[in-house]
Amino acid sequence: AVVLPHISRVLSAAGDQKRLMIMLTRMLSEMLTTELLISSSDAVCQLVDSAVTEQTLTDARSPAGAMSLVLLDAIVELWLKLVRAVSGLTSALIHLLPRAVALVAVPKGPREHVLRLIESYLLLASLSHPEIITSSVAPISAATQSAARNMTSLELRCALYVCEVALVLGPGDSWKSWGELLAVGAEEVLVRKTGGEALAASWFSCVAALTLRAAGSGDGWEAVKHLLSNLNDVNAASGGVILLTEEELLDRWVDAWDSLVSLERRRMCCVALLALLGAGVAPVAARVVSILGFVSEIVSEEVDEPDKPPRALTALQTARARFARETYANFPGGIAALVHEQIHQGRERLCAAHGHGAA
């Protein structure tokens, strides 16, 4: 607390002494209470600004960059703690977002926490700065996908969290720009089967988010076909072994249902599959029994969901709750009306496609 009002002078004295910067950062991270961290937001941002420089990033990529990597690890931990505590994005925090995107490319850097930081930025931006999402999704997508094939399973899962949020909150056509990351995820989940159920849940949640985003403009099934074509093209170009048909992708999606442990993700996948049912295509219609079984589970889970006592939420928790609502819109008449509408719409389209009148 004594240091923070004089942070400029402390940083000037530190100069390029990374060891001193590391000690200062760790001390602040361990000692600052949430209230003091929030009130000192600008000073902490100044510290991040001084630490995450082009020179530090360059040093971190070099064989002798161990000290820079330690500094980045410490600074990202403090930065993430700040973003999770603040009531909203300040101008100082917004200024730092491009630095977080640049950090994704550092091979041995704190990539897991950097991706969680970016996800938190996007969620907070949805509350009061949606223009930040619009302008930042493209560079975030480019940086994340460039690093995707060098990620650990945990880093890949965090990257898919970013993708899921960007698909739901980003520009309408943003679903077309995540092909490389989804291809890498598909290879890990569907071929190598690494990362367990958590990685599978993250990947299929992204598929559901992509489907729902495209379904809003009537292109839900086209999005799935586009995704499948892209998965096969990207993996063929990189020497991958995955080659999926539409039916196989749907079967894997249906089989992955039990890996979706959160009610919000089960809701999103259920509504996405219903949207595909309304597209009137045979591969989806052939799986109508499974889809209706998921609907029944969702309805049962919602009835059994316990009432939680009200509690104070941080801005980030509020943003997450809002995000969950946006992925599962409240349809007039509820889920039963949605099921009826999609089955009727799908039947009409199937009949029209085969030259029959609607049944």
Side-chain angles (χ1 to χ4, degrees), residues 22 25-26 29 69-79:
I22 292 167
T25 303
R26 285 179 170 168
S29 186
L69 289 171
V70 174
L71 173 59
L72 291 176
D73 188 65
I75 207 75
V76 169
E77 181 183 347
L78 178 62
W79 189 0

Side-chain angles (χ1 to χ4, degrees), residues 179-212:
E180 175 71 18
L181 177 65
L182 291 172
V184 174
E187 191 170 341
E188 296 298 320
V189 170
L190 305 178
V191 178
R192 296 177 182 167
K193 298 183 179 178
T194 59
E197 292 189 346
L199 184 60
S202 300
W203 191 80
F204 279 106
S205 290
C206 285
V207 175
L210 177 147
T211 302
L212 285 175

Side-chain angles (χ1 to χ4, degrees), residues 42 63 88 115 142 149 153 160 167 198 222 242 244 259 266 293 317:
D42 287 348
L115 290 165
R149 290 197 176 272
S153 291
L160 290 169
L167 284 168
E222 289 304 313
I242 185 171
L244 289 174
S259 69
R266 290 164 79 86
Q317 288 169 333

